């Protein structure tokens, strides 16, 4: 059991063997958490609550803490937000483009979703997440 | 034990991965339900449960055609999270004189009905109207037993959902009959931006 755990741990260690690999992994997870956090809120009620925003702020802080380097964290944040937004927009808009909603409803609903996602992300949430990322990376540099 | 032996940074990475996994599961469950939303709104079923007409003779040559109708709206899909609000109906009366001759009379809007309720999976909301009088010319035509009166009810209601903050979904149905229950056909789905909500201009859907 102990041996199996060690083997598994070694395989997982490969993912974080270098800073580049670790950063790539964190950006991937980061984009998924941003997308998932937004999706679980928007699919339930089409808007974000303070709790949802706070959740993403905390996740950005943690991601920044893990990455540690401020420059990498900033670039990682941009990449994560971009990928996360694409994932979330695709999941939200794709079923609305089917022929179940007649024209022009099938164009109106996707454009509404684009507006909802944009207003839920910019400008203050974007700035807030950025600040949390930078603060997290500074904390990570200091304490790790 | 191995988790305790790893560095704090790796522990935080593992924690971050675990949180990601949990959020993905929650989002996936929501997304699976969401993907049933658009098929569900097109499969909402409206029915005319009953239609009764009674011809009343007020005086010789003066007739009143009393109409009593009830509808129901059902969600036969597996999607949860819909509810019915703001039910409205108008009607027309078609006087059929012969197989090749008929006239259509506009009855107008029916009285406001406050019926509302959840339309979760398998739920049905009933909408009953009090007895009302058809237009007097329709009553006159109905007094001739050789003529037949057929009513066409145009229904629409707001289908409340999680999208209420940004848009209103309004399906429309037509129900026709001269007496007894009948199924209604969906004639279209209108999507408009909600008052005060974010979004661009409104739009409406045509028939499906």
């Amino acid at each position: 059991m102990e041996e199996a755990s060690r083997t598994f741990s070694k395989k997982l260690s490969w993912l974080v063997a270098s800073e580049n690999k670790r950063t790539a992994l964190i950006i991937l997870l980061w984009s998924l958490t941003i997308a998932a956090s937004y999706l679980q809120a928007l699919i339930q009620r089409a808007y974000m609550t303070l709790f949802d925003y706070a959740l993403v702020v905390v996740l950005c802080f943690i991601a920044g803490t893990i990455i540690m380097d401020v420059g990498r964290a900033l670039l990682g944040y941009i990449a994560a937000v971009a990928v996360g937004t694409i994932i979330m927009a695709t999941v939200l808009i794709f079923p609305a483009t089917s022929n179940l909603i007649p024209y022009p409803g099938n164009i109106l609903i996707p454009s509404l979703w684009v507006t909802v996602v944009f207003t839920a992300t910019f400008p203050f949430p974007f700035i807030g997440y950025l600040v949390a990322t930078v603060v997290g990376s500074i904390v990570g540099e200091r304490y790790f | 034990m191995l988790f305790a032996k790893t560095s704090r940074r790796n522990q935080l990475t593992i924690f971050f991965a675990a949180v990601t996994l949990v959020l993905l599961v929650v989002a996936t469950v929501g997304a699976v339900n969401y993907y049933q939303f658009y098929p569900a709104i097109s499969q909402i079923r409206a029915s005319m449960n009953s239609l009764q007409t009674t011809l009343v003779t007020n005086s010789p040559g003066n007739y009143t055609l009393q109409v009593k109708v009830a509808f129901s709206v059902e969600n036969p899909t597996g999607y949860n999270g819909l509810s019915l609000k703001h039910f409205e109906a108008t009607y027309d009366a078609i006087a059929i004189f012969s197989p090749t001759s008929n006239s259509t009379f506009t009855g107008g809007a029916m009285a406001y009905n406050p019926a509302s309720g959840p339309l979760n999976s398998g739920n049905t909301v009933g909408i009953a109207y009090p007895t009302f009088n058809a237009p007097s010319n329709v009553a006159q035509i109905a007094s001739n037993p050789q003529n037949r009166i057929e009513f066409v009810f145009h229904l629409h209601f707001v289908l409340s959902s999680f999208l209420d903050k940004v848009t209103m979904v309004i399906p429309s149905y037509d129900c026709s009959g001269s007496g007894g229950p009948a199924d209604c056909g969906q004639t279209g789905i209108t999507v408009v931006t909600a008052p005060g909500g974010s979004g661009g201009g409104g739009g409406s859907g045509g028939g499906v």
Side-chain angles (χ1 to χ4, degrees):
Chain A
M1 180 76 171
E2 186 76 15
E3 191 59 37
S5 299
R6 276 188 223 275
T7 308
F8 184 65
S9 175
K10 277 183 187 170
K11 286 180 181 172
L12 281 184
S13 298
W14 175 84
L15 285 170
V16 295
S18 70
E19 274 306 310
N20 287 341
K21 284 181 184 175
R22 186 191 294 271
T23 305
L25 173 67
I26 293 302
I27 290 172
L28 174 65
L29 294 175
W30 201 353
S31 57
L32 291 174
T33 54
I34 289 174
S37 302
Y38 268 73
L39 280 172
Q40 60 83 25
L42 296 180
I43 281 172
Q44 284 185 71
R45 62 190 88 86
Y47 63 89
M48 297 277 284
T49 63
L50 279 177
F51 171 78
D52 300 314
Y53 285 125
L55 176 65
V56 181
V57 165
V58 168
L59 291 169
C60 288
F61 177 84
I62 293 173
T65 307
I66 296 170
I67 292 177
M68 282 168 49
D69 182 78
V70 175
R72 275 176 182 260
L74 278 174
L75 290 175
Y77 169 71
I78 302 293
V81 167
V83 174
T85 305
I86 290 170
I87 293 172
M88 132 186 38
T90 303
V91 171
L92 289 171
I93 291 171
F94 178 70
T97 57
S98 68
N99 58 1
L100 291 168
I101 305 286
Y103 175 86
N106 62 343
I107 296 174
L108 174 66
I109 289 183
S111 68
L112 282 177
W113 273 127
V114 170
T115 306
V116 167
V117 168
F118 189 84
T119 53
T121 310
F122 302 97
F124 298 113
F126 183 85
I127 295 168
Y129 304 151
L130 181 65
V131 168
T133 303
V134 171
V135 170
S137 62
I138 292 170
V139 168
E141 270 185 347
R142 189 179 176 91
Y143 291 105
F144 281 153
Chain B
M1 285 298 292
L2 277 176
F3 181 79
K5 289 180 184 174
T6 57
S7 66
R8 280 195 296 177
R9 199 179 177 202
N10 283 345
Q11 287 176 358
L12 199 54
T13 305
I14 293 168
F15 171 74
F16 192 66
V19 170
T20 303
L21 191 61
V22 169
L23 281 172
L24 278 175
V25 169
V26 172
T28 302
V29 170
V32 168
N33 194 41
Y34 168 68
Y35 271 57
Q36 298 178 47
F37 172 69
Y38 297 103
I41 61 176
S42 67
Q43 291 174 39
I44 295 292
R45 194 181 298 154
S47 307
M48 186 165 62
N49 289 351
S50 64
L51 172 63
Q52 297 166 341
T53 58
T54 306
L55 186 67
V56 175
T57 304
N58 302 317
S59 60
N62 186 356
Y63 304 94
T64 299
L65 185 64
Q66 295 177 339
V67 184
K68 190 170 172 62
V69 66
F71 304 98
S72 65
V73 178
E74 181 195 1
N75 175 9
T77 70
Y79 182 80
N80 290 311
L82 296 173
S83 67
L84 181 149
K85 290 195 305 189
H86 301 302
F87 188 93
E88 291 181 1
T90 61
Y91 75 98
D92 299 319
I94 303 174
I96 300 171
F97 305 107
S98 71
T100 56
S101 172
N102 59 68
S103 287
T104 302
F105 300 88
T106 303
M110 295 170 65
Y112 173 72
N113 195 305
S116 63
L119 277 173
N120 292 325
S121 177
N123 273 20
T124 302
V125 175
I127 305 101
Y129 277 91
T131 304
F132 63 93
N133 296 336
S136 55
N137 43 6
V138 175
Q140 291 297 117
I141 293 169
S143 64
N144 185 342
Q146 291 184 336
N147 299 332
R148 190 165 68 90
I149 303 295
E150 187 164 297
F151 290 90
V152 181
F153 297 94
H154 312 286
L155 318 176
H156 55 269
F157 50 87
V158 173
L159 205 55
S160 177
S161 69
F162 71 99
L163 284 176
D164 280 356
K165 196 171 184 288
V166 294
T167 189
M168 284 197 298
V169 179
I170 304 172
S172 307
Y173 299 82
D174 274 356
C175 318
S176 59
S178 49
D183 285 333
C184 306
Q186 191 179 78
T187 54
I189 299 174
T190 303
V191 177
V192 294
T193 50
S198 59
S204 63
V208 287

